[in-house]
Structure formats: structure tokens, C-alpha cells
Amino acid sequence: MSPSSEPEVIATVEGRAGRIRLNRPRALNALTLAMTLAITRALLAWRDDPAIQVVMIDHMGERGFCAGGDIRALALRSGGRDAVRAFFLHEYRLNHLIFTYPKPVVTFMDGVTMGGGAGLAMPSRFRVATEACLFAMPETAIGFFPDVGAGWFLPRLPGRTGYWLALTSARLGAADCLHLGIATHYMPATALDALKAAIIAGPESPGVILGRRAEDAGAAPIRPVERDIDRAFDQPTIEAILAALPAQKWGRAQAEAIAGRSPFSLKVTLRRMRIGEGQASFAEVMATDYRCALRLASRHDFAEGVRAVIVDKDNRPAWRPADLALVSDHEVASIFANLPSSEEWTALP
Ligand code: QUE
């Protein structure tokens, strides 16, 4: 509960729909452990309830869907090692529950949808973007890596666009999200209330209702650079990616974005995308995310990145190491090692 004792997640049943609404607007609905557990509890209660035929996930208020996880508390080490483990264990269990949910889940990407917010949206069967949608996986900017199942969905985007998103923290609007398949439908925000009422009322399936009401998001701005993305981000190392970027304005902007990210995070992230590309199940992806998350969360760059970007907002992180050439491949590989078997990630029973 927030200090105002307003619940941070509002779970209700309306008609045939279970509704989950994020309600922590002051922190852009950044997910706390309590929010994750409340969403999980509602989804489990509805899973075998024949009256619930569809689940909708959206947010209250004006400020956007979800900025990520509440990593401020984690980086400040408020609850120690156990709090870090509990946070990622339950967040990833929720991502996996959404991915495997037996009923259609419709998530509304209306405004900022980043990090942990993408982790709610991407495993959902239907993902509705509005003109306010702003999608990104910006974790390398805080010394972390794209987690919450990004090892599944980013390498499976067209060409090398997922690698580009992971390494540059690029922000996408609705038309690009539709073009890449990050979103399944486009709707102007003013039409959402009527859409949700129609999904609640039925009787047609949410897919049919969405298909009939969806509108055209317009031309995707990334189209002209997709060939450059696919060529550069297919390279096997960060250094080779930088060398393969074109010399004109767009290429220089990508190089500049990468130069601002944690060098260690960049190398972990590239390796993570390549491993994810070959993983056979979402559960396997989540187990890898958990190993990486626990190890990266205790490193200098995560505390420093959260300090620079979220706490002090000076945007001048002092990364260690500060240079790509000083990152040890052996140390990068060690981030992916198994945990003791009793400490590995497991899905909900
Ligand atoms: C990378 C991230 C996050 C981020 C910024 C990054 C993230 C996250 C937030 C965030 C934003 C506003 C808040 C808040 C957290 O910012 O995961 O509490 O009020 O949650 O560059 O991964």
C-alpha cells in the first residue's frame, strides 16, 4: 500500500473480464514486489474461474503504463540480498505466468512502457499501443541488462532490431511497435474506453473485437534504417558493431548512445541476446535472466547507474570498467553460470 493507503494495484471483475490496473502514478507505476504479488494473486484466482474469459492489464491516471521495476530500492540495497532475490524471483514468475496464461491477456501500452512494463506487455497475447506509447528496454543505461523475458522476445524480432533495442535503449513510438510486432494493435487513446467496454461485454473473442476496431498507426520511422540496423547489429562483438555503424548522422547517434552505456552491461547484453536466440522455452529464458540479474544487481555499475539516472539524475555514471577494452570476457561469461540448484529460478507450481 502507498502512504495514502490507495492500493498500488486494483484488481476487479467487470462482466467477463478480470481487470488489473497499475496505480502508483507518482513512480510511473514502477513495479514493486507487492505490486508483482498482487497481480500474480489476481491472475491465479482467475485462471480456473469459468466466469473470467479475458484479462485486461492497464493503468490508472495520466502518466503512462509502467516505467519498469522499482529498482531504486534494490540499488540502494534497502532489504539486502534476500530482497533482491525475492524481487526478481516473483517478477519473473509473473512474466512467465502471463506468457503461459490459458486465457487471452490484453495489455494496454498507453504511454511509457519500459523495462518491467514491457515484461507485462510482451508475454501478453494482445498488446494495444496508443499514440502515447513509448517503448524501450533501457537497462544498459543503469548498468543492468534487458531482463523480464527480453532474452525471448528481442532476439525474435525482425532482423537485428531486438539487438539494437537492447544495446542502444532506443525508444519506439506506436508505429514502430506495430511494424516490429511489439504491439499487435493500434488504437487512439480516446477510443480505449469504448474498446474496453466492448471486451468486457463480449460475446466475441477479444481478438475479433480488437481486429475490428484497430486503426492504422501510420508509417514506421525506423523503416529507412532497418537495413543499417540489421547489418551493424549482426556483428559478434560490441566493438565490431560500433565499427559497422554507418558514418552519417543516424550511425553517429547510435554510437553515441552505446558509448553512454555500461561497457560491462553491453557485453553481458550481447551475449544474453545470442544465448536467448537459441533457448527453447520461455522458462529457460527466465532461469537465465535470474542468474544474470542476481549477479549484475550486486555489481558497482547497477548501484552507480541507478544513482546517476534515477536518484541524482546527473546522467553521468562512472562505469567500472569505463572502457569496453577493459571488460574481461571471462567475467562476462561468469555472469551466466548456474546457481546452486536449490537457488535457481523456478516457475510457479
Ligand atoms: C532504465 C531502467 C529504468 C529506468 C530508467 C532506465 C527502470 C525504472 C525507472 C523508473 C522511472 C521512474 C520512476 C521510477 C523508476 O527508470 O527500470 O521509480 O519514478 O523503473 O534508464 O531500467
Side-chain angles (χ1 to χ4, degrees):
M1 296 278 254
S2 57
S4 60
S5 61
E6 173 90 0
E8 292 176 345
V9 170
I10 300 172
T12 57
V13 173
E14 293 181 45
R16 63 172 182 161
R19 292 197 70 172
I20 291 166
R21 318 200 70 178
L22 308 184
N23 185 36
R24 192 175 171 241
R26 281 162 304 123
L28 241 172
N29 297 317
L31 294 174
T32 63
L33 173 61
M35 290 167 75
T36 292
L37 293 174
I39 298 168
T40 301
R41 201 179 313 119
L43 289 175
L44 290 177
W46 295 333
R47 188 167 55 179
D48 302 312
D49 179 346
I52 306 295
Q53 293 166 22
V54 52
V55 171
M56 293 196 284
I57 305 177
D58 64 4
H59 72 280
M60 306 285 289
E62 303 299 312
R63 285 204 58 213
F65 174 59
C66 178
D70 186 27
I71 29 88
R72 181 192 306 249
L74 291 185
L76 299 174
R77 310 259 163 79
S78 320
R81 202 181 93 133
D82 290 349
V84 171
R85 286 183 175 249
F87 180 84
F88 291 116
L89 171 68
H90 294 292
E91 186 185 29
Y92 299 171
R93 282 182 166 177
L94 171 58
N95 302 140
H96 180 262
L97 176 62
I98 296 172
F99 190 87
T100 56
Y101 207 64
K103 302 176 184 186
V105 178
V106 187
T107 296
F108 292 88
M109 302 166 63
D110 179 25
V112 167
T113 304
M114 299 188 183
L120 300 179
M122 292 308 294
S124 301
R125 176 127 26 120
F126 301 110
R127 308 173 292 277
V128 181
T130 70
E131 72 280 5
C133 174
L134 194 61
F135 176 94
M137 292 303 289
E139 289 87 352
T140 58
I142 55 163
F144 203 58
F145 74 108
D147 63 336
V148 295
W152 180 268
F153 62 77
L154 291 181
R156 287 163 181 75
L157 294 182
R160 290 291 168 200
T161 52
Y163 286 69
W164 168 68
L165 285 166
L167 295 171
T168 63
S169 314
R171 295 170 169 216
L172 302 183
D176 283 334
C177 286
L178 265 293
H179 175 63
L180 296 180
I182 291 168
T184 58
H185 298 82
Y186 175 75
M187 290 284 285
T190 52
L192 288 186
D193 285 349
L195 168 67
K196 291 171 189 175
I199 291 173
I200 287 165
E204 301 126 300
S205 71
V208 167
I209 293 168
L210 286 163
R212 191 165 48 233
R213 289 169 176 259
E215 297 185 18
D216 183 359
I222 72 158
R223 261 226 164 122
V225 292
E226 265 185 288
R227 284 157 65 101
D228 288 334
I229 289 173
D230 291 349
R231 193 175 315 115
F233 288 84
D234 194 40
Q235 301 298 318
T237 64
I238 303 293
E239 292 87 340
I241 289 170
L242 287 167
L245 284 165
Q248 33 74 328
K249 184 163 166 256
W250 177 84
R252 287 200 308 273
Q254 308 317 302
E256 217 167 280
I258 292 171
R261 306 294 172 250
S262 154
F264 193 80
S265 283
L266 287 168
K267 294 203 168 185
V268 168
T269 297
L270 180 55
R271 188 182 180 100
R272 201 278 162 271
M273 292 300 122
R274 294 205 173 267
I275 290 171
E277 198 163 334
Q279 288 183 308
S281 73
F282 195 77
E284 198 183 321
V285 164
M286 297 325 296
T288 299
D289 276 0
Y290 188 66
R291 294 169 188 161
C292 294
L294 297 192
R295 296 202 174 95
L296 286 188
S298 67
R299 289 179 62 97
H300 163 83
D301 278 4
F302 180 58
E304 173 62 6
V306 173
R307 181 206 65 74
V309 174
I310 296 172
V311 179
D312 296 341
K313 300 191 203 301
D314 59 31
N315 287 309
R316 292 184 59 89
W319 304 125
R320 290 190 209 151
D323 201 290
L324 285 169
L326 300 175
V327 174
S328 145
D329 289 339
H330 175 75
E331 220 177 315
V332 169
S334 74
I335 298 297
F336 295 83
N338 292 5
L339 296 166
S341 59
S342 65
E343 296 177 24
E344 292 275 22
W345 181 84
T346 53
L348 279 164

